[in-house]
Amino acid sequence: MMRVLIEAPILTRSGYGEHAKLVYQSLKSNSSLDIFINPLGWGTCTWDLPSEEILHCINKYRIYNGQCQQANKKEEYSLQIHVGIPSEFTKKAPYSVCITAGIETDRVSPEWLIKTNQGIDKLIVPSNHAKSGFVNTRYEIINKTNNTKTELGCACPVDVIPYPVKRFSENKLDIDFETEFNFLSIAMYGPRKNIETSIKCFVEEFRDNDNVGLVLKTSMSRSSIIDRNSTKIQVERYVESLGEKKCKIYLIHGNMTESEIHSLYTHPKIKAYYTTTHGEGYGLPIFEAAYSGLPVIATDWSGHLDFLKANHKGKEKKLFSKINFDLKEVQASAVWDGLITKDSRWAYPKEKSIKSQLSSVFKNHGMYKSWAKSLQNNINDNYTI
């Protein structure tokens, strides 16, 4: 039997947590695999209780790890699967796969490329944008001893395997909105998701319309009461700074099941998904909205472009409301050592285009709903588990 180590933030409420569960589900039916799981953390994300089968694999790993430490010997695995960022990878098997969302900018850091030269045998990413970040990034390395130059690039193959569509039983939320036409945005309240720009452009476009709303499912980092209060204060202060308005903004915070999240995408008063993101390695909430048949307004750049196009009336077309952008260096506040380099770039959505697309979807919703239906059919046909 082949011994397989999965190292992943499988218990966290995060994109990588979702990715890790998909990896485990894809492997568990293979009876020739003996699976061990090392549950990693991911930032400050909340942790979930594991299923019985995942808990069994975690306990098996802890027992085996403890035995090896007591005997002062190395753990032995045939295959290692690391789900997360490459810079956190350490080789622990003859063959090692790193499954990563890649990076939301136009290039990866040198630390990531170094790891592809230090034991990663294959990279698996969810989008062509993420793949491009690895295969097209190069750094010049200068040996100061002899003044020679070499080029650092990706040293392993990179495969694209997107997320699959998930099926949910109906679990309708006991929630209603005063406004009949609402845009939905699901994102962490941080620099990359660009939520304040989303709020600003929404308010400025619909300031005098009391029947339009923006539904924000967001948090600063966790799903705690403390975080809820912090998030509420942050949103309220920003909204108040924009002046008087008649349009509505709703804040949703806290843990929700996948079927409850799905019920937001299919809520009769939520008419479109809306994001002014700077960049996505994939864009899981955008994907979920699209395969739920919800029209999408999004920045016309990065990972989500893979699944937001389909054949429509005989032609392949981007079937979403496209926000124009400028590609510029990331903000200083977004630079992150070993992750986002200061010379990397991402998209800056143009406010004029954001407002134009909001207005267009509001006024021509029937057309965008038709696009969304074509897109939904394409995704359901081609993104099966």
Side-chain angles (χ1 to χ4, degrees), residues 216-255:
L216 290 175
K217 170 68 176 78
T218 190
S219 63
M220 304 297 286
S221 62
R222 293 181 179 269
S223 295
S224 65
I225 293 172
I226 291 173
D227 188 274
R228 180 185 186 276
N229 292 337
S230 299
T231 304
K232 186 170 182 286
I233 289 168
Q234 179 83 8
V235 173
E236 284 180 341
R237 282 179 178 169
Y238 185 71
V239 172
E240 286 172 4
S241 74
L242 299 174
E244 292 294 321
K245 61 173 182 54
K246 293 181 180 178
C247 55
K248 305 290 193 298
I249 294 177
Y250 306 92
L251 174 63
I252 297 177
H253 183 282
N255 292 339

Side-chain angles (χ1 to χ4, degrees), residues 36-38 57-65 75 77:
F36 297 73
I37 298 177
N38 178 14
C57 295
I58 291 171
N59 287 336
K60 191 164 51 169
Y61 166 78
R62 286 174 174 163
I63 291 168
Y64 178 57
N65 177 261
E75 303 159 45
Y77 303 98

Side-chain angles (χ1 to χ4, degrees), residues 124-379:
I124 295 177
V125 296
S127 70
N128 283 291
H129 171 81
K131 179 177 180 177
S132 174
F134 282 100
V135 300
N136 293 329
T137 301
R138 297 284 188 277
Y139 291 97
E140 188 178 77
I141 307 296
I142 300 175
N143 186 330
K144 294 182 179 179
T145 304
N146 55 20
N147 203 32
T148 58
K149 297 178 182 179
T150 56
E151 190 176 67
L152 175 66
C154 184
C156 70
V158 185
D159 286 353
V160 176
I161 303 178
Y163 283 95
V165 170
K166 294 175 124 182
R167 305 297 177 191
F168 302 99
S169 56
E170 283 297 320
N171 186 359
K172 292 185 178 179
L173 290 169
D174 183 20
I175 188 170
D176 195 11
F177 305 103
E178 295 176 33
T179 42
E180 292 297 320
F181 195 105
N182 297 285
F183 299 90
L184 171 66
S185 189
I186 300 177
M188 294 284 282
Y189 205 100
R192 180 172 64 83
K193 295 295 187 176
N194 204 23
I195 285 181
E196 290 187 351
T197 295
S198 295
I199 295 171
K200 177 176 183 284
C201 291
F202 167 78
V203 169
E204 290 180 354
E205 182 60 33
F206 297 109
R207 186 181 300 278
D208 297 322
N209 193 326
D210 60 5
N211 205 27
V212 180
L214 174 60
V215 180
L216 290 175
K217 170 68 176 78
T218 190
S219 63
M220 304 297 286
S221 62
R222 293 181 179 269
S223 295
S224 65
I225 293 172
I226 291 173
D227 188 274
R228 180 185 186 276
N229 292 337
S230 299
T231 304
K232 186 170 182 286
I233 289 168
Q234 179 83 8
V235 173
E236 284 180 341
R237 282 179 178 169
Y238 185 71
V239 172
E240 286 172 4
S241 74
L242 299 174
E244 292 294 321
K245 61 173 182 54
K246 293 181 180 178
C247 55
K248 305 290 193 298
I249 294 177
Y250 306 92
L251 174 63
I252 297 177
H253 183 282
N255 292 339
M256 295 175 73
T257 65
E258 290 178 325
S259 58
E260 286 172 337
I261 290 286
H262 182 70
S263 73
L264 288 176
Y265 300 131
T266 58
H267 194 288
K269 289 187 178 180
I270 289 179
K271 306 298 185 181
Y273 189 85
Y274 166 48
T275 174
T276 60
T277 179
H278 287 298
E280 299 290 336
Y282 190 72
L284 195 51
I286 307 173
F287 180 63
E288 292 170 344
Y291 74 64
S292 300
L294 196 61
V296 171
I297 304 169
T299 313
D300 191 17
W301 189 77
S302 71
H304 49 281
L305 300 191
D306 277 15
F307 56 79
L308 288 180
K309 58 187 177 185
N311 189 285
H312 183 71
K313 296 182 179 179
K315 292 183 180 179
E316 185 171 87
K317 181 177 182 178
K318 292 179 180 179
L319 296 176
F320 71 105
S321 184
K322 302 175 289 297
I323 298 172
N324 296 331
F325 63 93
D326 292 313
L327 198 63
K328 297 187 292 186
E329 288 188 358
V330 300
Q331 305 98 310
S333 61
V335 173
W336 188 347
D337 285 343
L339 193 66
I340 298 177
T341 61
K342 65 180 181 179
D343 60 342
S344 60
R345 301 180 299 168
W346 59 20
Y348 287 80
K350 296 180 179 180
E351 292 191 6
K352 184 177 179 180
S353 180
I354 296 170
K355 295 173 191 177
S356 173
Q357 297 307 319
L358 285 168
S359 175
S360 182
V361 171
F362 178 68
K363 293 175 180 176
N364 306 291
H365 188 257
M367 181 189 76
Y368 288 102
K369 191 67 180 175
S370 172
W371 286 11
K373 186 64 178 175
S374 293
L375 190 60
Q376 180 185 29
N377 291 338
N378 181 72
I379 292 174

Side-chain angles (χ1 to χ4, degrees), residues 22-33 35 53:
L22 285 169
V23 171
Y24 172 73
Q25 291 297 325
S26 73
L27 296 176
K28 71 171 188 175
S29 60
N30 189 331
S31 60
S32 67
L33 304 181
I35 300 174
E53 54 189 9

